[in-house]
Amino acid sequence: EQTTEGRQTAMLGAWARDGSSKWTHAIAPGSSRNPVIRASGHAIVAAWIQAEADGTENVWIGSWGEDGKEQGTRTCVAPASTTTWNLNLAFNGSEAWVVFDAATSTRSSELYAARVDASGVRPPLRLTRDDGATYLNGLAEALTKLGFSCFDDRSGTEAGRLPPKTLFRKIRNCQTF
């Protein structure tokens, strides 16, 4: 949802086959955007970018049951930036992997991967070099070395696609730049 003032709210919901709404609600309090929603077993898992009260933005993850009731607590994954638009979510067994771009401590937007499991959030791995160019400029070369494949459709919505599950082991043990 987006208000006429431009405030965005990421929404989650379920609908019956006839199109009637079973339930809907905001994923997070306040301003949130760019949700990625995936199913894992009987859980609905979402990652999103949330604007905080202090003006910063963070990537968050949460889980809901098929009935829309929250399972556990929402978890802050890592800092994001106002230029963070690309966000993806995948599973490897009981682990969730969140891939996103951010320009928080780097000269330009770089690509990160964070692993979330029962023990919490692991520090995100920066997957692209902090060379002053956006990660889109060097993304294919940097990620090809790690076994990723990716592309950019110029709108930014197709950059940084997650690799097949068999490549998660490579990410887990890779060197950060």
Side-chain angles (χ1 to χ4, degrees):
E1 275 188 3
Q2 183 168 328
T3 66
T4 55
E5 296 82 31
R7 181 177 172 269
Q8 296 175 331
T9 303
M11 301 294 291
L12 185 66
W15 289 263
R17 289 191 185 272
D18 66 5
S20 61
S21 174
K22 292 181 178 183
W23 54 266
T24 60
H25 56 78
I27 287 178
S31 183
S32 56
R33 60 185 175 86
N34 296 46
V36 177
I37 301 165
R38 301 277 189 262
S40 179
H42 292 283
I44 301 166
V45 181
W48 67 93
I49 301 164
Q50 183 171 315
E52 309 296 350
D54 64 2
T56 62
E57 293 191 333
N58 288 296
V59 175
W60 285 75
I61 191 169
S63 179
W64 290 262
E66 294 172 333
D67 59 0
K69 292 183 180 161
E70 195 166 355
Q71 298 177 337
T73 58
R74 298 172 190 152
T75 303
C76 184
V77 173
S81 57
T82 57
T83 59
T84 299
W85 291 103
N86 298 299
L87 186 61
N88 215 323
L89 173 65
F91 305 102
N92 183 32
S94 62
E95 300 171 336
W97 285 83
V98 182
V99 176
F100 59 97
D101 65 294
T104 56
S105 62
T106 54
R107 293 181 281 174
S108 61
S109 288
E110 301 298 344
L111 193 67
Y112 295 86
R115 180 172 40 148
V116 183
D117 59 24
S119 63
V121 178
R122 307 294 167 91
L125 299 170
R126 183 165 34 93
L127 301 175
T128 51
R129 190 176 309 281
D130 183 15
D131 57 5
T134 68
Y135 76 91
L136 292 175
N137 294 344
L139 183 62
E141 180 183 345
L143 294 182
T144 298
K145 292 175 185 174
L146 298 173
F148 281 81
S149 63
C150 57
F151 56 94
D152 177 18
D153 70 352
R154 293 262 179 225
S155 70
T157 58
E158 299 298 331
R161 291 217 177 241
L162 284 173
K165 287 184 179 183
T166 57
L167 297 175
F168 277 106
R169 286 183 296 279
K170 289 184 181 182
I171 298 169
R172 211 178 275 152
N173 298 317
C174 74
Q175 294 282 333
T176 57
F177 293 107

